Amino acid sequence: MTGRREFLKKSAILTAGAAAASLTTGCRESAIDTSALPQVSAVEAGKPLPWTNWAANHRCHPQQKLSPTNEQELVDALKNAKGIVRPVGSGHSFSPVVPTDDTLIATDLMSGVISHDSERQQAEVWGGTRIHNLGPLLAGVGQALPNQPDMDYPTIAGAVSTSVHGTGIKFGSMSDYVVGLKLATPNGDLVECSAGRNPQLFKAARTSLGALGVIASVTLQNVSAFELTETTRVEATEDLLDDLDNRFSGHRHFEFFPIPYTDLSLAVYTDPARPGDNNQGEEDPGAVNQLKKAFDALDWMPVVGPAIYERAISNILAGESDTVRTGPSYQVFAHHRIFRFREMEYTVPVEFGPDCLREILSVVRKKNLPLSFPIEYRHVKSDDIWLSMFEGKDGASISIHQYGDRGYKALFAEIEPIFWKYQGRPHWGKIHTLGSEQLAGLYPHWREFTEMRRELDPSGKMLNEHLTRVFG
């Protein structure tokens, strides 16, 4: 798209100009935090192979990594595994839900559609199925997920276990589409559950952080295969916030990305495709890196740096044309990730969302926080799943990202308390600092879940260090 190419060009000119100015005005310490850079774990002969998550902020050296190919092998693996056992999907969680130096169980070899029901539009799929593979597989039987996240790398079991979600006031998280599942428990049982069979376990297992066992398979409530058209445009953030209800209710899906230190956002509207819809322009996954380069080139300049950055980026974005993508739903939902980042996300009651976002943007400006990565704002429908972030109430999910070569802890520490003011619940797969005492006050069914966890796993076989802190 001409507009996006111009954005890259102008950002590069801005960066070069600011860098030249720094040579005559003074020097600054590099913005890169070397301690935050991905650390490569060396492979040593005779020692366990290392495991690292996608964001490269967590790693471990498991003594065993097991890859069962069917339900019986999964049950046996879990029953006979030594030490702390953790299931691992694609490794896309930013929180340390996976690491253990004892036993990892990967279900990559348990992948694909097991069966489908055309009349009910349901499909049973193996837990190790990646979402990006699931889309074409379901399309082959005339079905599609009602909604999905824009990041389609996780396994379906991992997505369900951490309540991964997309956006849309009529749509719940991935966990909400599950109408049945099979759970391999730590003592070697394979338990089936649904709304009519083991209903209490069903409410717990659909978002369990892998603390109850390993999901072997799930049965999903799907819809008929369909096509979508997504339109992305630049709009004023306050215009969006003042008309938020209409933006969400007027479209099948809506989300927006406020750009820190500016008054602008990228607004994304997604609706059923219409005859004649065509792609316009080209999505550029690398454009956000240009924001980082421009920000880094100017943030060394006290007071005037952010002001110059705001004017420059605002002027560039003001000339941006709409980008349009159309096609099968699973292709339009998905957006590529081409560089590492770390992420914190909280879900606040939907009525608190605008005020929470405004306070975050205000604090970023007032404290001159090192945040140039656009913030993400979505709505998700409520459900009745005990540890879902959306249990009992519709939620506004707000995500804060930091580039992978930048320190994130100090930044997140400044913003996280703002979420707490608005009754925020942390995304289980993303970075947060809450422990069992604080979390218990956020979830009405916390006690029921923890009691069920102790019943299924009295020895704490599924609890690594992180989950021990989470569940107490």
Side-chain angles (χ1 to χ4, degrees), residues 256-274:
F256 66 105
F257 297 80
I259 301 172
Y261 293 100
T262 79
D263 296 324
L264 299 176
S265 292
L266 297 176
V268 183
Y269 302 86
T270 308
D271 290 294
R274 299 169 299 180

Side-chain angles (χ1 to χ4, degrees), residues 179-196:
V179 295
L181 62 81
K182 292 182 181 179
L183 179 73
T185 65
N187 64 1
D189 292 329
L190 185 67
V191 184
E192 295 186 43
C193 59
S194 64

Side-chain angles (χ1 to χ4, degrees), residues 3 25 28 38 68 72 87 123 140 190 192 217 225 292 329 345-346 363 365 383 446 470:
T25 310
R28 69 182 180 96
Q72 188 58 55
L190 185 67
E192 295 186 43
S217 64
K292 178 178 73 170
S329 60
E345 176 183 298
Y346 271 75
V363 167
R365 281 181 181 266
D383 58 43
W446 187 264
V470 165

Side-chain angles (χ1 to χ4, degrees), residues 49 96 230 237 319 340 354 373 379 390 445 448:
L49 291 174
E230 173 197 271
T237 301
R340 295 180 201 268
F373 204 119
H379 276 189
F390 318 102
H445 298 283
E448 289 100 314

Side-chain angles (χ1 to χ4, degrees), residues 150 167 230 248 253-257 266-270 335 376-379:
D150 62 0
T167 186
E230 173 197 271
F248 277 103
H253 308 280
F254 173 72
E255 63 180 320
F256 66 105
F257 297 80
L266 297 176
V268 183
Y269 302 86
T270 308
H335 293 257
E376 187 172 17
Y377 188 106
R378 294 173 284 178
H379 276 189

Side-chain angles (χ1 to χ4, degrees), residues 356-389:
C356 182
L357 176 62
R358 285 186 174 106
E359 184 166 346
I360 290 171
L361 291 170
S362 175
V363 167
V364 168
R365 281 181 181 266
K366 288 179 180 177
K367 295 191 175 183
N368 196 25
L369 299 181
L371 181 63
S372 58
F373 204 119
I375 297 170
E376 187 172 17
Y377 188 106
R378 294 173 284 178
H379 276 189
V380 183
K381 183 182 176 183
S382 67
D383 58 43
D384 64 349
I385 303 167
W386 286 353
L387 291 196
S388 162
M389 295 86 74

